[in-house]
Amino acid sequence: APLRPVAVYYPPSLTLRRPEWSSGIPAEEPLDESVGRAPPERPSYQDDALVKRFQTRVSLLQVPAVMAGFSGVGFGAVETASGPLAVLPSGEGLLLLARAVDLGELREVKRRLGLHAIRLELPWTAILRDASEGGVHFDPERASSYLEAASVFGLRPSALRWLHRKTQVLDLTGGPGAWVSRLPPRKRRQLRAGLGLVSHSLIRTGDAADQALWDAVGEVNDAWRRATSAPDSLPFSAGFVRALGAAATIAVLSDAEGPVAFQLCGIHDRTVTALAAAVHPRAARGAWADAALYYAAELAIGQGCDVLDLHGAYDERFPEERLDWRGFSEHKQGMHPSVVYLPPTLLLG
């Protein structure tokens, strides 16, 4: 059967560890560095039940309507039984967070497209199908067991990573008041201070946003980028929100001088994912960022969400990676989120 191409979008974090070679994957690639590198000591506020609940949810990156809604961002893709397979400029395939993987079909797709290899960045539990069928389950304390199970299917670890290796999640059960009550006292005070600074708010779902709202988002984003020299992730995140339509939240907060902060979030499977945010450099960053996240989460709670994924965090196990994430990760840590580590990348050569 002919392969069916689709246009696929991936979040801006994917561009942060793009392979440097130009002729495909080298014959020998280093093993994943996370093997044998245990996570830091568990914080006292780690909520294992929340982590398990989050790990059962289906990722936004497996929503076909979202994945097919993008074009012109440098990633082609084909539909497979395992989900959308990205075709990268480096000559690789990339499959993200698929819960059931048909390795036989992927090998055929790899052959027909002339790919050098296919990278699998799977969720915490996945079913692998080939000549036989089996499951792999990731426990960060026993990463070697995960790799041993994957090796039975001819998969080997890769040191390169496209998605984040770690994220942080918050419990939204009980509504906005209950969520705020679970924050540490200092963070509650900061949030209340931020909410007190807001003179005007625009809170919309993605399908209800008008040009005035996107202009306000762009104004804050441009000022923030000029002050920080940060890469511009807004076109990607805004496209993601537009594709999600009603399953997305946008919060834009203003003071008397104009727009100050925004937060874009995507919603799927009762989980709200914080995709992009910025605060105007003339304002107190922490208080306004917390306020924008609160407003977006409040709307998501009204749509049935009970988990907030802060979508990536600086990983102390890899101190040289994503250094630009360190500041906002420390800020989010003040909310006492539960930490979730993602499995190592697997390579289908």
Side-chain angles (χ1 to χ4, degrees):
L3 299 175
R4 184 155 61 101
V6 294
V8 175
Y9 163 77
Y10 291 105
S13 59
L14 283 172
T15 63
L16 298 180
R17 282 188 63 80
R18 186 184 295 273
E20 296 179 357
W21 57 81
S22 59
S23 59
I25 295 174
E28 293 295 331
E29 193 172 76
L31 294 179
D32 191 285
E33 300 164 15
S34 66
V35 177
R37 191 179 300 192
E41 185 177 347
R42 285 167 49 90
S44 60
Y45 47 81
Q46 180 81 359
D47 185 343
D48 291 336
L50 170 62
V51 170
K52 289 179 180 177
R53 191 195 326 157
F54 170 66
Q55 290 175 338
T56 65
R57 303 293 168 84
V58 177
S59 168
L60 284 170
L61 295 173
Q62 284 289 302
V63 181
V66 171
M67 306 302 278
F70 296 82
S71 61
V73 295
F75 297 92
V78 294
E79 290 282 7
T80 75
S82 308
L85 177 73
V87 180
L88 308 181
S90 60
E92 309 165 77
L94 179 64
L95 184 69
L96 294 178
L97 302 178
R99 294 180 174 273
V101 181
D102 186 332
L103 295 171
E105 183 196 31
L106 291 183
R107 289 190 181 95
E108 176 62 13
V109 171
K110 173 179 171 291
R111 183 190 66 80
R112 292 172 66 176
L113 295 180
L115 300 175
H116 302 287
I118 294 178
R119 296 182 179 279
L120 309 177
E121 299 196 359
L122 302 179
W124 299 267
T125 299
I127 299 297
L128 303 179
R129 298 189 179 99
D130 205 352
S132 61
E133 179 177 303
V136 289
H137 176 74
F138 177 67
D139 180 343
E141 299 287 351
R142 293 185 290 274
S144 58
S145 298
Y146 176 83
L147 297 177
E148 288 172 9
S151 68
V152 174
F153 294 87
L155 302 174
R156 57 193 179 93
S158 167
L160 291 171
R161 184 76 184 171
W162 289 78
L163 288 178
H164 43 266
R165 300 179 187 269
K166 169 185 171 182
T167 191
Q168 300 162 315
V169 294
L170 290 166
D171 186 5
L172 300 183
T173 54
W179 168 46
V180 172
S181 71
R182 288 189 287 268
L183 296 175
R186 179 177 179 276
K187 182 58 70 172
R188 287 201 300 270
R189 291 193 296 271
Q190 187 176 51
L191 174 59
R192 293 189 181 107
L195 294 174
L197 296 171
V198 179
S199 63
H200 184 64
S201 64
L202 285 173
I203 317 298
R204 299 285 187 271
T205 56
D207 61 343
D210 57 17
Q211 191 56 48
L213 184 141
W214 286 115
D215 288 346
V217 169
E219 179 180 337
V220 175
N221 186 68
D222 289 347
W224 174 73
R225 285 184 60 224
R226 286 194 298 269
T228 62
S229 301
D232 190 7
S233 65
L234 181 60
F236 300 101
S237 297
F240 208 176
V241 168
R242 286 189 174 104
L244 284 165
T249 65
I250 310 166
V252 180
L253 308 184
S254 302
D255 62 8
E257 297 181 44
V260 176
F262 74 84
Q263 176 73 61
L264 307 183
C265 294
I267 296 172
H268 183 65
D269 200 11
R270 300 185 66 198
T271 299
V272 55
T273 302
L275 295 171
V279 176
H280 200 289
R282 65 180 169 80
R285 183 177 180 182
W288 280 93
D290 290 346
L293 183 64
Y294 172 84
Y295 276 104
E298 184 179 41
L299 184 57
I301 290 170
Q303 297 191 38
C305 291
D306 61 5
V307 176
L308 170 58
D309 176 13
L310 297 174
H311 196 52
Y314 175 76
D315 191 340
E316 301 86 350
R317 300 173 303 164
F318 303 88
E320 300 305 316
E321 287 187 8
R322 305 189 191 276
L323 291 174
D324 54 328
W325 285 18
R326 190 166 189 170
F328 74 75
S329 294
E330 291 174 351
H331 173 75
K332 293 174 182 177
Q333 197 65 40
M335 298 181 178
H336 286 185
S338 293
V339 175
V340 187
Y341 293 95
L342 281 76
T345 303
L346 300 174
L347 199 63
L348 179 66

